[in-house]
Amino acid sequence: MLASIGKLNRHQEKMAYVFITPTLLLFAIFTVIPVVMALYLSFTNYDVLSRMDWVALDNYKRLFKDSLYWTTFKNVIFYSIIFVPLNILFSLGLAMLMNFKRFGIRLFRTLNYLPTLTSAVAAATVWIWLLHPEFGLVNNILGWFGITGPAWLAQTETAMPSIIMVTLWQSIGSNMVIYIAGLQGVPDYLYESAKLDGASAFARFRYITWPQLRPTTFLISTMAIIGALQLFDQAFVLTQGGPGNVTKTPVYLIYQQGFKQLQMGYASAQAFVLAIAILIFSLINMRINKAEEPVV
Amino acid sequence: MDTTIEPNAGTGRLSKPPGVVFGKVAAAALFYIVAILIAAAMFLPFFWSLITSFKPSDEIFSVPLRWLPSHFTLEHYIKAFTTVSFGLYFKNSVILAVAGVIANLFFGSLAGYAFAKLSFRGNMPIFRTLLAAMMIPGIVTMIPSFYVLRHFPLLGGNDLFGSGGMGLLNSFWGIILPGASGTFAVFFMRQFFLTLPSDMMEVARIEGCGEFRIFWNIYLPLTKPALATLSIFTFQAGWNSFLWPMIVLNDPDKATIQMGLQAFSYNNQTDYGPMMAGALIAILPILVLFLLLQKYFVQGIAFSGIKG
């Protein structure tokens, strides 16, 4: 009897490994090997065409003197500092509004969610037209109020804010849904008893909603930071990194350096430094949100 | 759930003086005004590009702007398909996105089932490793993955040691394989399988049912809502991806729809009419899929534990 149970368990165990083999193979080939290799390549002069040589820290030395690289870093940090808090503010505000049980609420939620479904490229393409200085809808609407709108994507002061606007439009819908799920997880009795104690709406938000949503906010802000520091699609389509490199991002530069100029060793070093920056910002975010437990 | 707007909350419980009723009506009005304004702002870009795509060319550039065209024309759609190989790009994207969905549904649920329902020694350590890897930013693996594809042994003219040819570059496999069993798919399906009871498994085993049949015939059919949700997520990711296909596929005949959209805006003289038509065509499949599977989708999001 015991022997047959053991046999059954062993069989089960064997089948389990068979079931996860395809996933693990792909994981090994396209995640584990590349991560190890990224580090290795960053110490070489790999350029696809000629022989790959070990150049030790040369790429990193070059990188620290590369002013364009640090410009792209500055750009994307500027972007993140504005984008991430606004993203949380808007998506939480929208979620609280969309959490009311009212007639037609599903239609409103769907409309707010729609931009999230679209590809960054298609959305950015649409916005190129909306932000057209003369014939674009945005400047025409501003015109109704007597404001002469700027040449959004062509001016250095407005290019990055334009990208922030477009990416916010595209991302708050999905975060709204996550926040709605979070809001519905807050137990009702907390609000009931707070009301009995005469807590104001603001106090209820401050002392119940916001703390209860901490894991959700942590999740959303982490994903937003990871995404923001890897900004590429919108910057590529809307402004091609211009005007004057103000919207060029590290991923954009890595793409150019690695796949256009084929300096893959150097591009790997750039990618590695960016990854470390993403890690650092995620850790800072973890501190700010005081998340003691992992989210996933 | 709190359905009243704040100032009157809790006061109108026993009797309802006129002030409270008025307050409720005002609150509802305020809600609808704000909600409609926001929804309109979110929807306006779609509406405006739709209008643009149906306008005759000369009316696209009119000051002051016209909301409705004098007559609807399909010339921009025709132009999108004739001057640019948009039909081909569309087909390529469909192939890639559908292949991605099928692969992820199968491998993701297979692995997810194993992690949720089968006990084996490596279960938790391996699963945790997969999860931790989700945090690795895509940019790190981009260049080495390119290297791996290029030097894939025995494929695309390569020898056993991966040199000589182009490997999987410029082939659809270079897009499909790296994402064929995404960690998210595994995680998502595992969460769903965990909610299903295990006793069906025991009964089936006693009846002499093989492990794969238990998975395929008994458990998998129960996960339809999860599979539907995962289909949307995966299709959306595949359909919308841009940078990786741009890196792997150099042959213009293999370009995807997102890459094709670029064809309208690369030249300095942008053709806005066909460009808007192209953008809308690029959005349409996702929209249709979403509307068809919306019911599952909402369940799936609420369910997937995303709320933390």
Side-chain angles (χ1 to χ4, degrees), chain A residues 41 128 239:
Chain A
L41 282 177
I128 290 177
T239 56

Side-chain angles (χ1 to χ4, degrees), chain A residues 234-257:
Chain A
Q234 289 92 346
F236 185 88
V237 177
L238 284 168
T239 56
Q240 277 97 48
N245 288 334
V246 291
T247 60
K248 194 167 265 178
T249 66
V251 174
Y252 199 131
L253 193 65
I254 291 163
Y255 165 72
Q256 276 190 330
Q257 203 82 249

